[in-house]
Amino acid sequence: MNKSIFGIVLLSLALFGCGQKKDEPTKPVAAKGDVAAGKVLAEKSCQACHGANGGSVAPAIPHLAAQREAYLLASLNEYKTGKRTHAALRDIATQMTEADLHNVAAYFASLPAVASAKAEDVKHTSPYETGKALATSCAKCHGEDGNAKTPGTPTLAGQQPHYLAAAILEYHRDDRKKTSMKSVTLDSDRMDVEKLALFFAAQTPVQRTAPKRGDAVAGEAGSAMCGGCHGARGVSVDSATPSLAGQDAEYLGKATRSYRTTRQNWGMQRYIANLSEKDIDNIVAFYASQQPKAGDQIPSSTQDLAAKCNHCHDQENNPAMTAPKMNGQDKDYLVMALRAYRDGKRESTTMHNMSFPYSNAVIEGLASWYASQPAK
Ligand code: HEC
Ligand code: HEC
Ligand code: HEC
Ligand code: HEC
């Protein structure tokens, strides 16, 4: 594909996500601002926080130097209209005329990227690497790569990450009444739990042979009412619903029956209420022998994930692009921005959808990755 067409396609995607009209993107950005006039204004009103060189003076304030002009202008307008909420910025932006906004955006965009000493100090901390280190204490039972070999012990490889994190926390709270698992992860804090979950979710699950007990063919028919939540052939596409494909049969049987006793889940309790013991054995035989697969949306490293983000964020030669540059941006600011999108506190459908599945551990990893990249 022609490079400029590619840029336009991505741009329309990005703009569409911001709720702007679909026919806008192909037009060039509105009148260019006056850099010299923008400089005067910036020195008076912005320098105290955004620095004389456009570099942030404190954590959680974004660098503005070399940022895309269209994005800077759009942000200022969003503060002005209240679409983006920040009391100080709103006051500042409402006092500015349309021309002021254009000029100051042009000025910051024209500055060379700040070679921030702080940015170089930021080390990328990969949640996957941390998770891998923490997972050594699970290897004895769940296998080094999360593929368990002991009957009764579940495979964690390729399992949905939100589900894994929730499951660990259920053991902590003693909701599942298993003292063995309660003690194993008791020391981990919430971030550690998310990192463990991410590591295991990114591992490749291996297929199992059909268990001796149960009839997989009969089980396939019986599984019809499970597939709506657990996915086709037990490969879940929902981050909070576990995959069942290729899971250890003994564990599956125990887990299914536990919804009649210890495990609480309204949906599950209803669905298994009318199953006979034989039905359960058959469904278990079916799921245990299916080909497992890690979810598509689970990247295996921060770099893989960032590659997806860069489709919109790293269009160097496209000044009209509204997705901001992130390389070398202040780390705390990036963390705040991503959490705000995810939690619906900063409006952008595109970015909400992008950040929605990510735990704080993933956000931390992404923010430290971008902050540690040299700004361009
Ligand atoms: C009191 C400190 C302060 C002053 C003064 C200030 N800013 Fe900011 N600015 C911030 C903070 C903090 C944020 C992040 C706010 C948020 O979370 O949305 C920000 C965000 C921005 C953003 C959004 C950047 C992005 O990456 O999304 C723009 C654009 C901006 N400021 C421009 C300006 C301009 C232009 C001026 C001067 C006319 C100015 N600011 C004055 C503190 C300040
Ligand atoms: C001593 C062996 C052992 C160790 C060590 C161990 N586990 Fe487990 N784990 C089990 C068993 C057995 C179960 C099944 C318990 C049940 O029936 O609820 C289980 C269940 C789980 C589940 C629930 C899976 C699901 O599909 O719901 C998760 C998640 C889990 N373990 C995570 C971990 C993590 C993370 C570690 C390391 C920090 C760990 N386990 C260490 C034996 C162990
Ligand atoms: C309405 C959606 C829904 C339906 C239908 C459903 N499940 Fe579930 N299932 C869930 C959710 C959500 C969980 C996780 C609950 C939890 O945290 O304990 C779950 C958990 C499970 C688990 C535990 C897995 C593990 O790793 O510990 C098993 C086994 C299971 N379901 C089997 C079935 C079977 C068999 C059927 C069909 C008879 C079925 N489910 C139907 C939503 C559903
Ligand atoms: C489809 C295009 C697209 C993709 C893919 C995308 N973004 Fe964005 N991103 C945008 C747009 C457009 C904005 C500006 C939205 C706004 O005005 O708030 C944005 C804004 C942001 C901001 C705010 C930056 C600032 O200076 O305030 C961050 C942080 C961010 N994205 C991170 C990411 C990360 C991390 C990923 C990958 C997980 C990603 N984005 C993927 C289009 C995209």
Side-chain angles (χ1 to χ4, degrees):
M1 201 193 305
N2 171 309
K3 209 171 170 198
S4 64
I5 296 181
F6 189 51
I8 290 166
V9 170
L10 287 170
L11 175 63
S12 35
L13 258 176
L15 285 174
F16 187 49
C18 299
Q20 296 183 18
K21 283 199 213 79
K22 259 202 266 181
D23 53 350
E24 272 173 4
T26 47
K27 292 182 194 154
V29 211
K32 281 238 170 233
D34 175 343
V35 172
K39 182 169 197 263
V40 176
L41 181 61
E43 281 168 355
K44 191 169 113 247
S45 317
C46 323
Q47 192 171 321
C49 298
H50 293 288
N53 60 352
S56 154
V57 302
I61 300 177
H63 302 305
L64 302 181
Q67 186 53 279
R68 295 192 169 96
E69 187 172 343
Y71 173 72
L72 290 172
L73 184 61
S75 304
L76 288 167
N77 274 316
E78 288 185 355
Y79 288 124
K80 194 170 181 170
T81 59
K83 186 178 170 208
R84 226 177 127 171
T85 46
H86 191 276
L89 264 297
R90 173 156 208 180
D91 289 348
I92 294 170
T94 31
Q95 283 161 25
M96 290 162 73
T97 64
E98 219 22 56
D100 286 343
L101 297 175
H102 276 89
N103 297 346
V104 84
Y107 169 66
F108 281 115
S110 75
L111 294 175
V114 272
S116 162
K118 274 182 288 157
E120 278 148 29
D121 290 343
V122 184
K123 292 235 167 30
H124 168 53
T125 50
S126 162
Y128 300 89
E129 291 302 316
T130 320
K132 186 178 182 178
L134 292 165
T136 50
S137 66
C138 327
K140 150 171 91 128
C141 302
H142 290 286
E144 241 168 66
D145 60 354
N147 282 296
K149 297 195 180 70
T150 321
T153 304
T155 278
L156 308 179
Q159 190 50 282
Q160 288 290 346
H162 281 209
Y163 171 74
L164 281 178
I168 297 172
L169 296 171
E170 283 180 7
Y171 290 115
H172 280 196
R173 289 192 307 261
D174 210 16
D175 289 353
R176 289 201 191 179
K177 314 282 177 224
K178 293 276 170 199
T179 38
S180 56
M181 275 303 302
K182 184 178 164 122
S183 56
V184 178
T185 56
L186 204 56
D187 296 337
S188 330
D189 65 14
R190 183 67 214 231
M191 279 288 238
D192 285 350
V193 168
E194 288 176 356
K195 288 170 188 170
L196 275 166
L198 205 59
F199 167 74
F200 282 121
Q203 303 307 303
T204 310
V206 296
Q207 190 166 12
R208 294 172 188 270
T209 48
K212 294 196 185 70
R213 215 181 149 134
D215 173 353
V217 177
E220 177 165 12
S223 76
M225 60 173 173
C226 322
C229 295
H230 290 284
R233 302 193 158 263
V235 176
S236 164
V237 291
D238 172 61
S239 70
T241 307
S243 281
L244 306 177
Q247 185 54 284
D248 170 68
E250 190 177 319
Y251 173 74
L252 276 181
K254 266 197 312 182
T256 305
R257 291 178 176 94
S258 70
Y259 288 102
R260 291 192 173 140
T261 52
T262 45
R263 277 174 78 167
Q264 306 289 317
N265 181 276
W266 182 79
M268 278 301 301
Q269 283 160 334
R270 259 179 4 132
Y271 278 94
I272 59 144
N274 299 321
L275 298 178
S276 68
E277 291 304 296
K278 198 166 158 224
D279 292 338
I280 294 179
D281 286 345
N282 294 345
I283 294 174
V284 162
F286 169 68
Y287 280 125
S289 56
Q290 296 309 300
Q291 172 75 54
K293 190 172 163 290
D296 289 336
Q297 78 280 34
I298 300 157
S300 55
S301 69
T302 311
Q303 286 87 325
D304 282 359
L305 188 50
K308 287 204 217 165
C309 316
N310 288 344
H311 286 310
C312 294
H313 283 277
D314 198 18
Q315 293 281 301
E316 282 313 316
N317 304 320
N318 189 349
M321 190 77 198
T322 38
K325 293 185 190 174
M326 294 195 291
N327 287 353
Q329 185 52 286
D330 178 77
K331 182 189 147 196
D332 294 359
Y333 174 72
L334 289 175
V335 168
M336 270 179 20
L338 281 165
R339 287 192 184 191
Y341 288 127
R342 181 191 63 190
D343 303 338
K345 293 188 184 120
R346 183 171 162 187
E347 209 180 305
S348 162
T349 316
T350 317
M351 281 309 305
H352 178 68
N353 293 342
M354 282 303 299
S355 57
F356 185 65
Y358 304 132
S359 61
N360 288 344
V362 175
I363 286 180
E364 184 85 17
L366 276 166
S368 67
W369 166 258
Y370 279 109
S372 66
Q373 301 304 301
K376 283 181 271 185

